[in-house]
Structure formats: C-alpha cells, structure tokens
Amino acid sequence: MKVDLFSIGPFTVHGYGLMIGIGVLCCIFMGMRRAGKYKMREEAVIDIALFGLLAGFIGAKLLYILVEFETFLKDPISVIGSEGFVVYGGISAGVAAAIIYCRVKKDVFLEYFDLLSPCIALAQGFGRIGCFMAGCCYGRETDSFLGVVFPPDSLAPSGVKLLPTQLFSSAGDFAIMGILLWHYRRRRHVGDTGFLYMLLYGVGRFFLEMLRNDERGNVGSMSTSQFISLFIVTAALFLLLRNKRMPEIAAAAEKTAGQTKECGERGADDGADV
C-alpha cells in the first residue's frame, strides 16, 4: 500500500510500475527456462514477450478508454494519462500479437500458448500486487479481519476497511500458475494448457468482480470484465471439448483409412489370383 517507493533526483519509483516490471522479467525468464527444457526456441519467447507486452499495453489502455468513454470525451488527457488499464484488453491484444508472430515465423501458436500460459499467470500475480500498492482495483467495505485501510495518497478510499481484492486476485493467479505447470506435463493435446488458463482465469475473474467496488464500467447488471469473462469461459470450454473429441475423430479416420487399405490389398490379391 505504498504508491511511491523512493526517489532518485527527479526519478520516482512507483510501487505499481515496479511490480509490473518484476512480473514481466519473471515471465520472460521463466518462459526462456521452460523453452530450453522442452526444446523450443528461446528467442521466440523473447520476441513473443516483447511484442505481446507492447500490444498488451496498447490493448489494455484502449479497452479502458472504451469503458470510460464518456469521461474520455470530456477530458481525454486525464484518461490517457491515468493508471487505468483493463486486463482483458491487454490479454486479447497480447494473444493477437503472439498469433501474428507465430504465423510469420511458421511456429505453432498453441505450443507456445501452452508453454507460456503459466508465465503469464505469474506476471499477472505480480501485477496485482502492484495494484494493491497503488490502491486501484479495490474491494468493498468490510468489517472482516481481512479488511485493510489504504493511505490518503492511494487510489482507494482511505479511512475505511476494504477487502484486498488485489491480493485475492494475486493469490488466484499464483495458484493458476501452479495448476498450469502441473497440467502441462500431463496434457494430452496441444492447446489444452492454454485453454485451461482461459477457463480458470475467466471463472476466477467473474466471481472476484463481485467483491470489487471500484469504478470499472458495466454491461447491464455485470461489470465489463464479468461480461467478457462469460465469452472467455464459453470459448475455453468449447476448445477443451473440441480437443477432447479430436483423438476419437483421428481414431475413426485411421480406422477408416485402415479399412480402405485392407480392401485395396484384398482387391489386389484377388486380381493376382485371376
């Protein structure tokens, strides 16, 4: 809960920015280690991280502008210059950049999606600690022992106990990272680990939004992130089920091909006997 950590001359280190930086560096380092371990291109991890980071920053800010569009029309500079971002915008833009990169480099996107999804969750976990330090993404008022009081210079209301939803989210992200690391070694199909990340994050984000109390836009009775989570979870379930059916489809095709080959061999034998 400390917005500014320290200053060196005119340069000030902010808690939010520092945690984002730590998260990105840990993501890249972990991704490179995993790429080396599983015989994949380490340079591809660096490129995907850099392009994804740039696209993610732009996407997260653009979605925030859309969410705060009325305020943006009145005072665009304040919205653009604020610390406001929407994570789903960053994830979507980052994934799009990774897909384009993999197509250009003739790499299989889903292979890298599986490999890097635990790294993404790790970066998000550090990012949410940054949110806690800045006071953004705060929770509802509470009398629970879990409640925290933010300082006056924080983005959260001060003087009242609030649920530390940022830390709940961070703990969830680290838990997702652990699950994905365990799952990756046991996946049966390319894409399973990445799709599981989508499912776990989408479900967790949907329910966590119920505890938040910051201004973040609405679609009907749901927050913008809850609305997006419905599509993310639906897409993840569809893709996982499609992957699950793929071996059956492949087995059926192989069986059909075998039967066709067998019939052909029988026909050739019959022709030789005539």
Side-chain angles (χ1 to χ4, degrees):
M1 292 189 294
K2 190 170 179 58
V3 178
D4 299 330
L5 297 180
F6 58 88
S7 296
I8 303 176
F11 181 73
T12 300
V13 176
H14 304 285
Y16 180 79
L18 178 64
M19 297 311 299
I20 291 291
I22 291 174
V24 170
L25 291 176
C26 288
C27 176
I28 295 174
F29 177 75
M30 180 180 177
M32 291 179 64
R33 289 288 300 272
R34 286 173 57 76
K37 179 179 179 181
Y38 294 105
K39 311 303 180 185
M40 297 174 69
R41 295 196 306 119
E42 294 183 21
E43 61 271 20
V45 171
I46 298 175
D47 291 341
I48 289 172
L50 294 177
F51 287 120
L53 179 64
L54 178 60
F57 178 85
I58 295 172
K61 178 59 72 173
L62 286 177
L63 189 53
Y64 178 74
I65 290 173
L66 288 176
V67 170
E68 300 291 336
F69 195 66
E70 291 185 5
T71 305
F72 174 75
L73 292 177
K74 297 176 183 177
D75 188 3
I77 300 300
S78 66
V79 174
I80 294 174
S82 71
E83 295 184 351
F85 294 93
V86 178
V87 172
Y88 270 132
I91 294 174
S92 301
V95 168
I99 291 173
I100 294 172
Y101 173 85
C102 288
R103 286 188 176 181
V104 171
K105 293 294 185 178
K106 303 296 188 294
D107 289 320
V108 180
F109 165 72
L110 289 180
E111 285 281 8
Y112 283 93
F113 190 31
D114 284 347
L115 182 81
L116 297 177
S117 54
C119 312
I120 296 170
L122 174 65
Q124 288 177 306
F126 281 107
R128 286 304 182 185
I129 295 176
C131 291
F132 180 72
M133 297 179 75
C136 60
C137 310
Y138 54 86
R140 298 181 181 276
E141 291 188 27
T142 181
D143 292 327
S144 167
F145 71 95
L146 294 174
V148 297
V149 179
F150 288 85
D153 62 341
S154 172
L155 295 175
S158 61
V160 293
K161 292 177 66 176
L162 303 174
L163 288 173
T165 46
Q166 311 95 327
L167 298 184
F168 298 163
S169 181
S170 179
D173 289 328
F174 290 138
I176 289 173
M177 177 199 68
I179 293 171
L180 296 179
L181 288 173
W182 173 85
H183 181 270
Y184 183 83
R185 297 191 298 271
R186 294 162 179 81
R187 62 176 184 153
R188 295 184 176 181
H189 318 101
V190 175
D192 274 359
T193 303
F195 301 150
L196 180 60
Y197 161 73
M198 293 169 56
L199 177 64
L200 293 176
Y201 184 81
V203 171
R205 184 63 184 271
F206 183 90
F207 287 105
L208 187 72
E209 287 288 307
M210 296 179 181
L211 302 178
R212 285 177 57 172
N213 200 36
D214 55 316
E215 294 293 332
R216 59 200 185 283
N218 295 92
V219 179
S221 59
M222 295 184 291
S223 71
T224 303
S225 292
Q226 280 183 315
F227 182 72
I228 297 174
S229 291
L230 293 179
F231 291 94
I232 297 295
V233 170
T234 301
L237 288 172
F238 169 78
L239 293 167
L240 285 168
L241 290 174
R242 187 194 66 173
N243 261 9
K244 187 176 181 181
R245 288 174 55 87
M246 285 180 66
E248 300 173 6
I249 296 172
E254 184 178 349
K255 183 178 180 181
T256 302
Q259 290 174 345
T260 302
K261 181 179 179 181
E262 183 179 351
C263 289
E265 290 175 349
R266 287 179 180 176
D269 291 341
D270 292 342
D273 291 339
V274 173

